[in-house]
């Protein structure tokens, strides 16, 4: 048994607890309460820190962990994609090394659960046996009709491979699938993958409403995506019916238990209304990637106010300087009204766990859940308000606890 005492405990499903104690038995939370009297011999006083639920990064591309800085220039978007593909072709280390480094960075920066998009010759062996838990989304790409069967087989094999690991090893690695985007997956393949996600009960993620160029391709079959796809000989007349909108992709997602749309930067009003009534479809906002591409304001506050599920991701180091979800939350808190702070922490923990189908097991500091916790140093913040102290300029993760085991973060 372990009892951890903190200046503040943020359970997320209840208000912050001053001088709170979290008790852990066998990797599971067995109690959370204010300190009663003096700390006993079993209680470790962590001092001037907050304990929050382990952070959940709902959208990452860990294969880009070796990049020191984002790939520039960011625009035009199809040019950026070209540079990304060139990087993938030219890098020399093994995919396994990139994933190991990515998982390590995620775990040492406060994240206990990550939704990673996996590609190429990824296999469960690429993932280290410790560190953050992972939901592995197999990326699927196929715009031409003759590509669909192989992609469907790949998806099925991925689900089987991850499930085989689940049964044999002491780590959490769960399968999921990701039809990449409307400009890279035919509507037919998209629907087949939705059926697969429903049958297999796995989460499904699609990049959607990410750029105005994507909306233009769907609406009229023109623009920079048309040019790129024509160049690669991937575009055929009628591949996507004219007048298609993100709504046409949202509607089929409604029948899934756990669907994620990455970005959703350009959702229309009726699409936001649609998501408001469908908490099973989460929008993953990636704040610093959003800023990198210079997009128009993200509708995350409108989505939240409407009652939709919003969670947070880092995306890849290809568009972001690191994989720190805490840096995303602080970036967002800095530019938000004070009353948004509880929602920002909720988005970075419980909503991420919800989107990844793990809310029963993690995402809040609640009796019976896994002891997935992040210890945040408050660095002597003088703020009396717990939220101001939590999101103060100098606050930072110092320890990540995954299933009761501690992972130290770098001290620098
Ligand atoms: Zn992405």
């Amino acid at each position: 048994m372990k009892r951890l005492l903190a200046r503040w405990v943020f359970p997320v499903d209840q208000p912050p607890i001053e001088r709170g104690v979290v008790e852990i038995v066998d990797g599971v939370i067995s109690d959370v309460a204010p300190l009663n009297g003096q700390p006993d011999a079993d209680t470790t006083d962590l001092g001037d820190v907050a304990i929050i639920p382990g952070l959940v990064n709902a959208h990452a591309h860990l294969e880009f962990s070796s990049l020191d800085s984002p790939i520039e220039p960011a625009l035009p978007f199809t040019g950026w994609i070209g540079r990304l593909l060139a990087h993938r072709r030219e890098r020399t280390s093994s995919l396994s090394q990139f994933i190991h480094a990515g998982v390590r960075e995620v775990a040492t920066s406060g994240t206990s659960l990550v939704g990673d998009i996996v590609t190429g010759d990824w296999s469960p062996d690429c993932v280290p046996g410790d560190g953050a838990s992972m939901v592995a989304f197999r990326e699927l790409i196929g715009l031409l009709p003759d590509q669909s069967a192989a992609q469907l087989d790949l998806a099925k094999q991925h689900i089987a491979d991850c499930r085989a690991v689940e049964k044999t090893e002491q780590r959490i690695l769960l399968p999921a699938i990701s039809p990449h985007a409307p400009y890279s997956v035919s509507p037919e393949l998209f629907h087949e993958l939705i059926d697969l996600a429903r049958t297999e009960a796995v989460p499904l993620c699609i990049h959607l409403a990410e750029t105005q160029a994507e909306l233009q391709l769907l609406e009229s079959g023109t623009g920079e995506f048309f040019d790129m796809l024509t160049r690669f000989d991937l575009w055929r007349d009628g591949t996507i019916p004219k007048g298609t909108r993100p709504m046409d992709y949202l509607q089929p997602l409604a029948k899934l238990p756990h669907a994620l749309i990455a970005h959703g930067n350009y959702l229309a009003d009726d699409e936001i209304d649609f998501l408001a009534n469908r908490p099973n479809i989460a929008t993953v906002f990636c704040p610093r990637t959003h800023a990198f591409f210079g997009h128009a304001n993200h509708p995350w506050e409108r989505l939240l106010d409407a009652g939709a599920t919003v969670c947070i991701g880092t995306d890849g180091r290809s568009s972001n300087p690191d994989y720190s979800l805490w840096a995303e939350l602080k970036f967002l808190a800095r530019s938000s009204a004070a009353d948004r702070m509880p929602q920002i922490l909720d988005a970075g923990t419980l909503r991420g766990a919800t989107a990844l189908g793990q809310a029963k097991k993690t995402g809040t500091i609640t009796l019976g859940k896994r002891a997935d916790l992040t210890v945040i140093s408050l660095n002597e913040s003088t703020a009396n308000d717990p939220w101001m102290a939590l999101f103060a300029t100098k606050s930072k993760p110092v320890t990540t606890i995954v299933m009761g085991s501690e992972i130290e973060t770098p001290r620098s």
Side-chain angles (χ1 to χ4, degrees):
M1 185 189 71
K2 203 164 12 182
R3 288 164 58 83
L4 304 175
L5 169 62
R7 179 172 156 202
W8 289 100
V9 172
F10 292 77
V12 168
D13 60 350
Q14 54 169 307
I17 302 168
E18 190 162 15
R19 296 279 286 164
V21 176
V22 182
E23 186 183 272
I24 302 168
V25 176
D26 294 335
V28 173
I29 296 163
S30 54
D31 196 20
V32 52
L35 177 69
N36 189 0
Q38 291 301 311
D40 59 23
D42 292 330
T43 305
T44 307
D45 187 350
L46 299 177
D48 185 30
V49 302
I51 300 176
I52 62 173
L55 296 166
V56 180
N57 184 347
H59 185 71
H61 298 257
L62 297 182
E63 64 166 302
F64 300 117
S65 67
S66 65
L67 286 168
D68 291 329
S69 57
I71 294 172
E72 301 213 57
L75 298 173
F77 188 62
T78 49
W80 180 86
I81 290 177
R83 287 184 281 280
L84 180 87
L85 296 177
H87 162 76
R88 202 184 253 162
R89 274 195 308 272
E90 288 158 13
R91 64 193 179 193
T92 49
S93 300
S94 72
L95 190 59
S96 174
Q97 284 173 285
F98 297 130
I99 305 298
H100 267 73
V103 171
R104 169 127 200 95
E105 184 186 339
V106 159
T108 57
S109 61
T111 294
S112 61
L113 173 64
V114 58
D116 187 29
I117 305 287
V118 305
T119 67
D121 56 3
W122 185 96
S123 77
D125 293 337
C126 293
V127 185
D130 58 1
S133 301
M134 181 186 287
V135 176
F137 290 84
R138 168 53 77 172
E139 182 175 270
L140 303 151
I141 289 183
L143 209 48
L144 301 177
D146 61 5
Q147 294 173 312
S148 288
Q151 293 295 297
L152 211 52
D153 285 347
L154 185 61
K156 289 176 185 166
Q157 190 60 52
H158 172 72
I159 294 169
D161 290 349
C162 291
R163 290 201 168 134
V165 169
E166 252 181 278
K167 284 185 195 123
T168 56
E169 290 174 41
Q170 288 295 315
R171 61 174 174 185
I172 293 177
L173 175 61
L174 298 166
I177 57 175
S178 178
H180 172 251
Y183 55 83
S184 56
V185 172
S186 69
E188 292 73 22
L189 176 56
F190 176 63
H191 283 99
E192 284 174 322
L193 291 169
I194 288 202
D195 288 344
L196 180 66
R198 187 152 75 153
T199 314
E200 295 288 346
V202 295
L204 178 146
C205 174
I206 181 167
H207 294 83
L208 190 67
E210 184 176 4
T211 60
Q212 279 164 324
E214 173 199 325
L215 301 194
Q216 186 184 350
L217 182 79
L218 298 184
E219 170 62 32
S220 61
T222 60
E224 62 173 289
F225 276 115
F226 168 79
D227 296 342
M228 181 183 82
L229 295 170
T230 303
R231 216 163 45 241
F232 293 138
D233 191 27
L234 292 170
W235 186 258
R236 304 285 179 272
D237 270 351
T239 297
I240 298 172
K242 288 215 166 54
T244 296
R245 306 179 53 216
M247 181 66 103
D248 297 302
Y249 292 83
L250 290 178
Q251 278 167 338
L253 295 178
K255 56 187 169 189
L256 295 180
H258 303 291
L260 300 86
I261 60 165
H263 308 301
N265 300 332
Y266 294 98
L267 292 166
D269 289 348
D270 62 331
E271 290 159 349
I272 290 173
D273 290 344
F274 182 82
L275 291 171
N277 297 311
R278 298 191 174 66
N280 55 316
I281 311 175
T283 302
V284 192
F285 177 28
C286 303
R288 289 181 298 163
T289 285
H290 188 272
F292 171 73
F293 285 113
H295 290 301
N297 284 346
H298 192 278
W300 67 281
E301 291 175 299
R302 285 166 59 209
L303 285 161
L304 278 177
D305 292 345
T309 304
V310 175
C311 52
I312 310 293
T314 56
D315 217 343
R317 268 174 172 259
S318 38
S319 55
N320 207 19
D322 55 52
Y323 291 112
S324 167
L325 200 83
W326 185 247
E328 301 295 340
L329 300 193
K330 282 183 71 169
F331 179 84
L332 206 49
R334 255 203 314 278
S335 58
S336 303
D339 61 1
R340 292 286 180 195
M341 291 185 187
Q343 290 177 314
I344 291 171
L345 183 64
D346 182 67
T349 55
L350 177 59
R351 299 305 147 185
T354 303
L356 297 175
Q358 292 291 293
K360 285 198 178 118
K361 296 178 177 153
T362 189
T364 59
I365 303 178
T366 307
L367 238 74
K369 283 198 182 181
R370 291 200 303 252
D372 292 343
L373 306 164
T374 299
V375 180
I376 304 284
S377 167
L378 299 179
N379 264 322
E380 298 168 6
S381 164
T382 52
N384 288 325
D385 178 81
W387 297 101
M388 292 307 223
L390 183 65
F391 287 116
T393 321
K394 291 202 289 182
S395 70
K396 62 170 194 173
V398 286
T399 308
T400 314
I401 300 174
V402 181
M403 291 185 277
S405 297
E406 291 185 17
I407 299 163
E408 288 296 320
T409 64
R411 288 286 149 177
S412 64

